[in-house]
Amino acid sequence: TRYPPARAPWPPRHINCPCLPLLPSSRSPTATMARQIVPSRSFHRLLTSRHYPLASPAPPLRPILLPKALSRATAAATPQLPRRGRRPVVAASASAPAPSSSETEAVPGAWGKVSAVLFDMDGVLCNSEEPSRCAAVDVFAEMGVDVTVDDFIPFTGTGEANFLGGVARVKGVKDFSTESAKKRFFEIYLDKYAKPNSGIGFPGALELIMECKNAGLKVAVASSADRVKVDANLAAAGLPVSLFDAIVSADAFENLKPAPDIFLAASKNLGVDTNECIVIEDALAGVQAAKAAEIRCIAVTTSLDEDALQQASPVFIRKDIGDISINDILYGGSNAYHNERTENTKNISSLGNASPEILNGATNAESVENTNSSSSKDQGLLGSRRDILRYGSLGIAFSCLFFTIGNWKAMQFASPKGLLNFLTGGNSSIFATNEGESLSSRVQQIKKYLADFETGGSATYVPEFPRKLDWLNTAPLQFGRDLKGRVVVLDFWTYCCINCMHVLPDLEFIEKKYKDKPFTVVGVHSAKFDNEKDLEAIRSAVLRYNVTHPVVNDGDMYLWRELGVNSWPTFVVVAPNGKVLAQISGEGHRKDLDDVVGAALEFYDERKLLQNNSLPLALEKDRDSRLITSPLKFPGKLAIDVQNNRLFISDSNHNRIVVTNLDGEFICQVGSSEEGLLDGQFDTASFNRPQGLAYNFKKNILYVADTENHALR
């Protein structure tokens, strides 16, 4: 098996946002002694950035109010005023014959449900067809072959291999290498024509995408171009990849457009049936592919004229993506949305032909109705200030009651101390730091804080563990007996919290650093849901994540309430004399924990308060017979190679990939089983908790998500 030596770094996501059972906080202090709660970036903030302008929906149509004395003929001759918005609806003039309903309006229910929109890229989202042809001309020019941009038009939308190879066949180019030509094509195209934010996006593309998302539709890019070109074009057009729910490119397909494979894959990736999808295409091959997939298609004339596109029978044709409205997508559109300039001209003409009496009468009638409506509101809705205050207060009281009842589960996690810590933020002076401060000066600063803390006389003592609690990895512990004289970090966690899993490497780092010191981490499992109180489920989580420190099952959340904890994960640092030194919430606090633990060990060692007594540890992984007898240890994912009768298994906790045949017979393993990040031969390469797998049978390459190394291998 070819295994590429190069790897792309996958930077870790340090999300400093704990799981909160209470109301979210807007406080985000730089010092993080008691609470550091940073709200995650909301989708609304994302939309309001300069890359995502919010679409302004058009207000509803405002009808003209006709005087009652007008006859039906006069009323029919009176035009509607155009609405404000992106697509004005224009009423036909009396002199023009009314078009049939099949041409102008979608019959209710006839168009069908729409749940997703599949956008082609070149010629639809990006004005990239002409630059692509120019780059292709440059490729053939380097070969000494004379071609023009028009030579590539018949192969538009069929993928780069056929785009270049088709012209090579027509021109009779000998020894033509499709792969070499594609590579050179991408080099020229990316360097010369598709630089980031170069403005190749079609006007109206971003607006239509946002209107689709605001309408609750899923959006995807389904292109016959390779992924490298898709990413480059979207960047050049100012359309972030994160804007789309799925991106399907030509790399993984043997059959490109006009075959339906790409559209079928996009529909499957979105989890939407093909009969609920809409395709927007510019190429004849793309329209044919949509028809083959039995997906409705809207065509645009950016690459081919209307007569050429009609050969594939799209549902209807528009000039470009800026001429497509959300109504076209949701309801099948109407001729009122097409040929906008022509219809605007007709509208102005019809308004000019209407008599002044009709227009004045309509305006006066509208004015009278508005006046009557305003008077009615004044009489029916206005009340005294006392009534407003009374009913408003009553509404607030009921709202608070309903909120409490509806969030009763979350309210169970609350305690007076937790609410106080949540609102005040606590004393954060222990973590106050200056820019560029050295480690030694920071340790001295923390030790000075500890000296003031010990002489202050206002310390909180950690409560003793209730004797009825179940323990894992150890016999039951007590602060006054087993943990006296040790610096202790209490890790409040629950195994359903991904943030709690993210901090385990930080705790492991600190445990290894101070393994010879009187220091202990104790995991306090505080269940978020009732089923998480089950001891066997917690034991499985301890084994899966290789937790080797003591863990106590505090299902009733006794310590949680006594110490005023209000989010997962939270760390409580306890001194050798049982005093609570600090409380830290959230991820990304390895340095803070390291500094305070190191300073505390130095400080209390100088005062002869440390006792390095052994703990009664008995690790669960050494007592579980399943781990001893099973060849696999918490395997994570699978990938199947049907053509070569192979099965790939990510044996996550053995840090390797196991390869078997489809009957389960062992073939080989990839990785030495040692934790590490090392490329090389199968028996020397190393992983750290590999998980996701994806196999490319065309290139015979297995891709591995190496999770703890934050790398794609």
Side-chain angles (χ1 to χ4, degrees):
T1 303
R2 285 198 296 117
Y3 190 79
R7 65 176 183 273
W10 193 351
R13 296 177 59 205
H14 295 296
I15 307 173
N16 193 18
C17 180
C19 295
L20 299 174
L22 302 177
L23 295 175
S25 169
S26 60
R27 180 183 291 108
S28 178
T30 54
T32 55
M33 154 67 179
R35 297 288 173 270
Q36 183 159 6
I37 304 166
V38 181
S40 61
R41 184 176 303 167
S42 67
F43 185 60
H44 178 71
R45 270 183 74 190
L46 189 65
L47 291 182
T48 53
S49 69
R50 64 186 179 89
H51 296 295
Y52 300 90
L54 282 172
S56 300
L61 198 63
R62 181 182 178 186
I64 289 179
L65 302 177
L66 297 177
K68 293 182 179 179
L70 291 178
S71 65
R72 289 187 179 181
T74 309
T78 305
Q80 289 182 323
L81 293 176
R83 69 173 182 175
R84 294 175 60 194
R86 190 163 168 264
R87 293 284 179 270
V89 177
V90 183
S93 65
S95 59
S100 64
S101 61
S102 62
E103 293 177 346
T104 60
E105 295 181 4
V107 178
W111 178 247
K113 182 180 179 181
V114 177
S115 301
V117 182
L118 314 181
F119 293 92
D120 181 41
M121 180 189 64
D122 294 312
V124 174
L125 295 175
C126 307
N127 190 10
S128 50
E129 293 291 8
E130 189 67 23
S132 297
R133 295 167 191 162
C134 293
V137 169
D138 295 341
V139 171
F140 280 91
E142 292 180 354
M143 302 178 186
V145 180
D146 186 21
V147 296
T148 66
V149 292
D150 294 336
D151 293 329
F152 296 91
I153 293 179
F155 306 100
T156 297
T158 59
E160 276 73 30
N162 196 39
F163 183 70
L164 300 169
V167 174
R169 289 192 301 271
V170 171
K171 295 294 183 179
V173 180
K174 296 182 179 179
D175 300 326
F176 180 80
S177 171
T178 303
E179 289 299 321
S180 299
K182 279 179 58 177
K183 181 179 179 181
R184 183 56 184 152
F185 168 79
F186 287 134
E187 290 174 353
I188 295 175
Y189 183 77
L190 298 181
D191 181 62
K192 190 174 180 180
Y193 297 102
K195 296 183 178 180
N197 295 311
S198 57
I200 67 171
F202 276 109
L206 179 59
E207 289 79 0
L208 183 59
I209 293 170
M210 296 314 306
E211 286 180 2
C212 291
K213 295 180 76 71
N214 290 340
L217 306 182
K218 295 182 178 181
V219 294
V221 174
S223 173
S224 291
D226 284 10
R227 183 59 189 260
V228 62
K229 186 182 180 186
V230 172
D231 289 342
N233 274 356
L234 293 179
L239 299 173
V241 172
S242 59
L243 197 61
F244 300 94
D245 299 295
I247 292 182
V248 180
S249 57
D251 308 67
F253 296 91
E254 289 286 352
N255 301 318
L256 303 180
K257 302 172 187 176
D261 300 27
I262 288 179
F263 289 140
L264 294 175
S267 171
K268 184 177 180 180
N269 287 353
L270 293 177
V272 178
D273 291 336
T274 54
N275 59 2
E276 296 182 12
C277 293
I278 297 291
V279 165
I280 301 180
E281 263 286 357
D282 70 303
L284 187 61
V287 181
Q288 292 169 341
K291 188 172 183 180
E294 298 183 352
I295 301 178
R296 290 164 287 180
C297 180
I298 302 173
V300 293
T301 58
T302 52
S303 300
L304 300 173
D305 58 28
E306 188 168 340
D307 292 337
L309 291 171
Q310 283 290 5
Q311 299 175 28
S313 302
V315 177
F316 51 82
I317 300 174
R318 296 289 186 256
K319 179 182 177 183
D320 54 41
I321 194 170
D323 201 36
I324 300 175
S325 74
I326 189 66
N327 292 281
D328 288 337
I329 292 172
L330 292 176
Y331 309 115
S334 69
N335 284 347
Y337 293 97
H338 192 35
N339 298 330
E340 189 172 355
R341 292 184 178 178
T342 304
E343 296 294 349
N344 283 343
T345 304
K346 292 180 180 179
N347 184 51
I348 295 171
S349 175
S350 63
L351 287 177
N353 294 332
S355 66
E357 291 79 6
I358 292 177
L359 294 179
N360 290 337
T363 306
N364 292 337
E366 183 176 357
S367 176
V368 170
E369 178 164 323
N370 288 341
T371 303
N372 293 336
S373 175
S374 176
S375 175
S376 174
K377 290 180 181 179
D378 290 343
Q379 294 175 4
L381 298 179
L382 291 181
S384 66
R385 294 182 181 178
R386 181 177 302 174
D387 290 338
I388 294 174
L389 182 61
R390 177 189 305 162
Y391 293 117
S393 301
L394 187 62
I396 293 173
F398 275 111
S399 298
C400 294
L401 177 62
F402 292 147
F403 176 82
T404 303
I405 295 174
N407 295 273
W408 178 246
K409 185 67 179 179
M411 299 302 292
Q412 295 180 44
F413 302 130
S415 66
K417 288 183 181 179
L419 290 173
L420 183 62
N421 289 337
F422 183 78
L423 295 173
T424 63
N427 180 10
S428 59
S429 58
I430 189 173
F431 292 123
T433 181
N434 297 320
E435 189 70 25
E437 187 178 32
S438 65
L439 176 60
S440 60
S441 62
R442 179 158 167 79
V443 170
Q444 293 303 317
Q445 178 189 3
I446 296 176
K447 290 173 65 176
K448 181 179 182 303
Y449 165 82
L450 294 176
D452 297 337
F453 173 80
E454 287 292 344
T455 58
S458 61
T460 299
Y461 283 85
V462 66
E464 193 58 82
F465 294 109
R467 295 186 180 274
K468 64 177 181 178
L469 300 183
D470 294 316
W471 287 79
L472 299 171
N473 286 334
T474 181
L477 302 177
Q478 292 288 307
F479 277 105
R481 180 189 64 206
D482 308 286
L483 300 175
K484 183 179 180 180
R486 305 178 75 89
V487 175
V488 178
V489 170
L490 300 178
D491 171 29
F492 287 84
W493 69 295
T494 180
Y495 68 78
C496 82
C497 169
I498 188 60
N499 308 89
C500 299
M501 304 302 106
H502 288 167
V503 302
L504 290 177
D506 297 340
L507 294 175
E508 183 181 7
F509 169 82
I510 297 171
E511 286 182 282
K512 289 181 178 179
K513 183 174 182 178
Y514 300 108
K515 64 180 180 179
D516 298 326
K517 302 286 185 180
F519 166 70
T520 302
V521 174
V522 176
V524 183
H525 191 274
S526 306
K528 189 173 186 179
F529 304 106
D530 290 339
N531 63 302
E532 293 176 1
K533 299 177 183 179
D534 180 65
L535 184 64
E536 288 305 312
I538 301 173
R539 177 180 282 111
S540 294
V542 167
L543 293 172
R544 183 186 312 116
Y545 296 107
N546 197 29
V547 176
T548 57
H549 54 250
V551 174
V552 59
N553 181 14
D554 187 13
D556 295 330
M557 306 186 79
Y558 170 76
L559 286 172
W560 174 288
R561 292 189 178 89
E562 288 297 313
L563 293 174
V565 178
N566 57 38
S567 65
W568 297 272
T570 291
F571 310 105
V572 177
V573 184
V574 182
N577 53 16
K579 294 181 180 180
V580 176
L581 300 179
Q583 218 180 91
I584 317 170
S585 295
E587 299 181 48
H589 296 300
R590 175 184 292 191
K591 187 177 187 308
D592 290 332
L593 283 172
D594 187 10
D595 290 345
V596 72
V597 169
L601 289 170
E602 287 187 23
F603 176 81
Y604 290 105
D605 185 40
E606 294 169 359
R607 283 157 179 74
K608 309 300 182 185
L609 294 177
L610 297 181
Q611 300 177 23
N612 200 359
N613 301 323
S614 61
L615 296 178
L617 296 179
L619 300 184
E620 299 299 321
K621 66 179 182 178
D622 297 332
R623 301 191 297 172
D624 196 306
S625 59
R626 298 172 300 171
L627 298 180
I628 299 174
T629 58
S630 174
L632 303 175
K633 187 176 181 182
F634 293 99
K637 304 293 181 181
L638 298 173
I640 301 175
D641 177 13
V642 178
Q643 287 81 358
N644 297 299
N645 191 35
R646 289 185 298 181
L647 180 69
F648 304 99
I649 308 168
S650 59
D651 191 6
S652 302
N653 281 27
H654 278 145
N655 304 302
R656 64 178 182 171
I657 309 299
V658 175
V659 186
T660 71
N661 63 22
L662 297 184
D663 294 324
E665 297 174 352
F666 179 83
I667 298 176
C668 68
Q669 81 172 47
V670 184
S672 63
S673 295
E674 298 294 328
E675 288 186 4
L677 178 60
L678 181 65
D679 289 338
Q681 300 299 318
F682 283 1
D683 55 347
T684 59
S686 58
F687 299 91
N688 192 351
R689 299 287 182 86
Q691 280 283 334
L693 302 175
Y695 179 69
N696 186 328
F697 73 91
K698 292 196 298 185
K699 298 181 179 179
N700 196 26
I701 293 177
L702 180 71
Y703 297 93
V704 182
D706 196 3
T707 58
E708 293 302 325
N709 283 325
H710 306 287
L712 188 64
R713 310 288 298 282

